[in-house]
Structure formats: structure tokens, C-alpha cells
Amino acid sequence: MTIANDNKSMIPGVQYLRGVAALMVVLFHSSPMVRNFIGMTTLAWGEFGVDIFFNISGFVMMHSVITAEKSTSSIAFIKNRLIRIGPMYWLMTSLMTCILIIKPTAFNSAVLSMDHYALSMLFIPHFHPGIEGAVLPMLVPGWTLSYEMYFYIVFSAALLLPHFFLFGWVLGVLAVVNIIARSGFIEQSATSMFLGNSIVYEFTCGMFIALLSRRGIYIPKWFAVIALPLASSLIIFASSADNRFVTVGLSATIILYSTLSFVVPTKKVVLSFFRLLGDSSYSLYLSHVFVIGLVSILWRKVFAVHAIETYLSAVLYLLLCCASSITVGALLYKGVEIRLTRWIKFQLRS
């Protein structure tokens, strides 16, 4: 391993990676309409953009604590995280509810239920009433936010500990709870299924990478050049949801760690696009299911077909879904997310 000098110059690379992860998820949710034609597993790897998100989340939280000029209380930390992720999620979930009131069949498997809505808004894991055995909120992509909130609560409980002990606390709590939930000693429920998912360890992987970067320990660039495409290939070609943490989570960790080994420029046009993609990734992540659904409806109306008939049409459909989702995500970020967050912070200060 080598010692790098300027840690701050590498953070833009993490933001670019966040944009790539968001685009992966968009591709995954765009692909069902084309899978029967170009293969059931085509773009299925896009689902694992979430694992990159979880690694980045652990890294960013730990990095923010390490570099903070003063400590933050647990209550202030949770409040700040709620201000960051709550408003847009609540807005998008409420939008889905309004659409379901007007047209109950607007979304596949979506069910209009006040219990379902309330539990979703509170980030509480529960069984989806329209998808048997699935622990999902009303706005399906929001399942990741329940894990984010779980991580934030555990993380905030030990904010005043030294950095290494903070890492040990989070890892220890997540591991003990995970083992108990998977042990079979407690009755299987939505909560036990949620807590027993090994995906929770991905947050701690990101935290550990932050500890290494704090000490200036990075993968040598020549090794990162090999490791980055290799780990990406493992996610695309050899990934499996059966043991997600081992097959995907650790590959995502390698991708994050390799990205940190490069001092990434910030002013090139192409990279500016990925920076915007990273900045707007949250709005993009929450809104893309609406956009893809609308694009799918319009596609069928315009071309009067229910399936993709050629590879060219499949590619065009995917490009349209991605371009539309990115555009809407960027507009929501600039026009709603930023302003809404600022307004809430102002209201809380006054």
C-alpha cells in the first residue's frame, strides 16, 4: 500500500462513484421490459448499485466524523440525517399514494393501505401487502433508507467514542443483532428478515476504508488500475444475491477503495456530468420508478407494442429511460431537494 498526500482531492471521485451507482439502479429498473428479448439476467447487476451506495454511506459518515472540527451530539446527528433523507422520501411516497388514490392500478403490485403508508413513512420494516414475503415500503426503492436509518441510529449511539472504537461499536452491534436474527431462536418476521440481512456489513466496510484513508493508506495506483475493473467485472458477471455481502458487498468495497487511490479532476465536462449525477443521485434514486413507468406507457402508446422487438429498440428504450430519469432527477435536485432542505433548516433555526 502507498501513502497519499491529499485526501480531500479524492472525495470528488466518491461523488462520481455515487452517480455511477445511481445509474446502475436506473438500468436495473429499466430492464424488465427488455429482459424477455435480450436475456433474463441482462442488467440484473444494476441492482447492486445499492451495495456501492451502502459502502459510500459508511465511508462518508465515518469520514465526516473524522474530519469534523467539533463533535456532534447523537440527537443533532439524527436530526441532520432526517433533514437530508426524510423530506424527499416522504414527498415521493406521498406522491405515489396520491397517484394510487386516483388510479389504484397505476403501479405493479402497489397497494393503497394506510398502515402500509404510515410504516413506510416511519422507515419501519414490514411486509409489503402486494408482494408476498417481501419486506418493502410503499415506494419500493425506499427499502434502502430503512437500512440507512438503522445504520444512523447505531452509528449515532457512539459518536463520542474514539474513531476506532466507534467502528468497533457499529460492527459489533450490527454483527450481534444480525447473528441473533439469523439464528432461528426468534420467530421469523419482517423485522428479523430485515436485521438478518448480511448487507448491513457493507456500511462497516465503508467505515473501515475511511479509517484507512485517514491514515493516508491507499491501494497503489497500479494495483487500483487492475482491482477496479476486476471488482466491477465480478459484480457484472459473477455477482449473486444468495450471499450478497461476499459476492457483491466486498467487490463494492474494492471499487470504493480503488476509486480513492486516484486524484480525480473536477473541471472536465464529462466528469462534471458525473458530479451532477452524484449530486442529484438521491432525487434520481427516488423518482426514477415514476419516470420509467411513464416512459414505458408512452413507449407502448407510440409504438403500439407491448414488447421490445429488436436489439436497437431495446437499446433506444433503455437510453430513453436513463436520459429521462437523469433529467427529472437533476430538475428535482435543483428545483425541489435543495430548496426544500434549505427551507426546513431555516424553519428549524427560527
Side-chain angles (χ1 to χ4, degrees):
M1 297 204 173
T2 57
I3 304 298
N5 297 319
D6 187 4
N7 186 40
K8 289 184 179 180
S9 66
M10 297 178 187
I11 300 305
V14 175
Q15 194 69 349
Y16 302 149
L17 185 59
R18 194 197 301 270
V20 172
L23 193 56
M24 286 173 63
V25 176
V26 173
L27 281 170
F28 170 69
H29 286 136
S30 302
S31 64
M33 191 168 169
V34 304
R35 287 179 192 169
N36 289 334
F37 183 72
I38 57 178
M40 288 299 295
T41 59
T42 300
L43 301 179
W45 48 265
E47 174 186 4
F48 303 127
V50 167
D51 302 80
I52 297 176
F53 276 133
F54 283 171
N55 270 272
I56 291 176
S57 183
F59 172 84
V60 170
M61 291 302 101
M62 195 68 186
H63 177 79
S64 64
V65 169
I66 289 172
T67 57
E69 295 181 358
K70 59 180 180 179
S71 59
T72 304
S73 70
S74 299
I75 294 176
F77 176 83
I78 292 296
K79 184 181 76 172
N80 290 335
R81 298 320 300 163
L82 271 175
I83 291 173
R84 174 68 185 91
I85 72 172
M88 283 301 294
Y89 172 65
W90 294 327
L91 181 63
M92 292 294 105
T93 300
S94 297
L95 174 61
M96 174 168 277
T97 302
C98 292
I99 294 174
L100 288 173
I101 291 173
I102 297 171
K103 188 176 182 181
T105 60
F107 299 95
N108 293 333
S109 305
V111 174
L112 183 60
S113 161
M114 288 312 299
D115 289 343
H116 187 32
Y117 173 75
L119 291 171
S120 298
M121 295 288 276
L122 293 172
F123 305 101
I124 297 175
H126 61 284
F127 288 116
H128 192 292
I131 307 175
E132 186 177 357
V135 182
L136 294 169
M138 180 174 284
L139 182 64
V140 171
W143 69 269
T144 60
L145 302 184
S146 296
Y147 280 106
E148 292 280 354
M149 288 305 302
Y150 173 40
F151 168 60
Y152 295 154
I153 291 170
V154 175
F155 187 89
S156 67
L159 272 176
L160 298 181
L161 290 176
H163 302 149
F164 184 77
F165 290 102
L166 171 59
F167 167 75
W169 160 265
V170 174
L171 176 59
V173 171
L174 294 182
V176 169
V177 173
N178 184 260
I179 291 169
I180 293 174
R182 295 165 65 93
S183 65
F185 291 125
I186 59 177
E187 184 180 355
Q188 188 177 46
S189 63
T191 301
S192 66
M193 289 176 63
F194 174 85
L195 297 174
N197 194 330
S198 61
I199 203 170
V200 296
Y201 295 116
E202 295 176 3
F203 294 107
T204 62
C205 288
M207 291 177 66
F208 185 65
I209 298 304
L211 288 174
L212 291 177
S213 67
R214 173 62 174 174
R215 289 164 173 77
I217 304 173
Y218 298 97
I219 300 174
K221 288 185 177 61
W222 66 266
F223 187 78
V225 169
I226 299 172
L228 188 58
L230 180 61
S232 301
S233 298
L234 286 173
I235 286 182
I236 294 174
F237 299 109
S239 55
S240 170
D242 295 334
N243 196 345
R244 187 163 181 162
F245 172 66
V246 174
T247 60
V248 182
L250 293 179
S251 294
T253 304
I254 293 171
I255 290 172
L256 172 61
Y257 199 21
S258 298
T259 301
L260 288 170
S261 298
F262 300 98
V263 178
V264 183
T266 59
K267 295 183 179 180
K268 292 186 178 180
V269 174
V270 174
L271 292 177
S272 296
F273 166 77
F274 280 101
R275 182 58 185 259
L276 175 62
L277 196 61
D279 290 343
S280 61
S281 59
Y282 187 53
S283 288
L284 169 61
Y285 181 74
L286 293 178
S287 65
H288 75 276
V289 290
F290 296 95
V291 178
I292 291 171
L294 182 59
V295 168
S296 178
I297 292 171
L298 293 175
W299 181 276
R300 290 167 178 167
K301 286 186 176 296
V302 171
F303 295 100
V305 293
H306 294 284
I308 305 297
E309 296 182 332
T310 66
Y311 280 99
L312 178 60
S313 61
V315 171
L316 289 175
Y317 171 77
L318 291 173
L319 288 175
L320 182 60
C321 284
C322 289
S324 301
S325 296
I326 291 170
T327 301
V328 171
L331 291 173
L332 282 174
Y333 169 69
K334 295 284 189 181
V336 179
E337 182 182 341
I338 292 177
R339 296 181 182 185
L340 182 59
T341 302
R342 286 176 180 170
W343 181 80
I344 291 174
K345 287 181 177 179
F346 175 79
Q347 294 300 317
L348 292 175
R349 283 197 300 265
S350 59

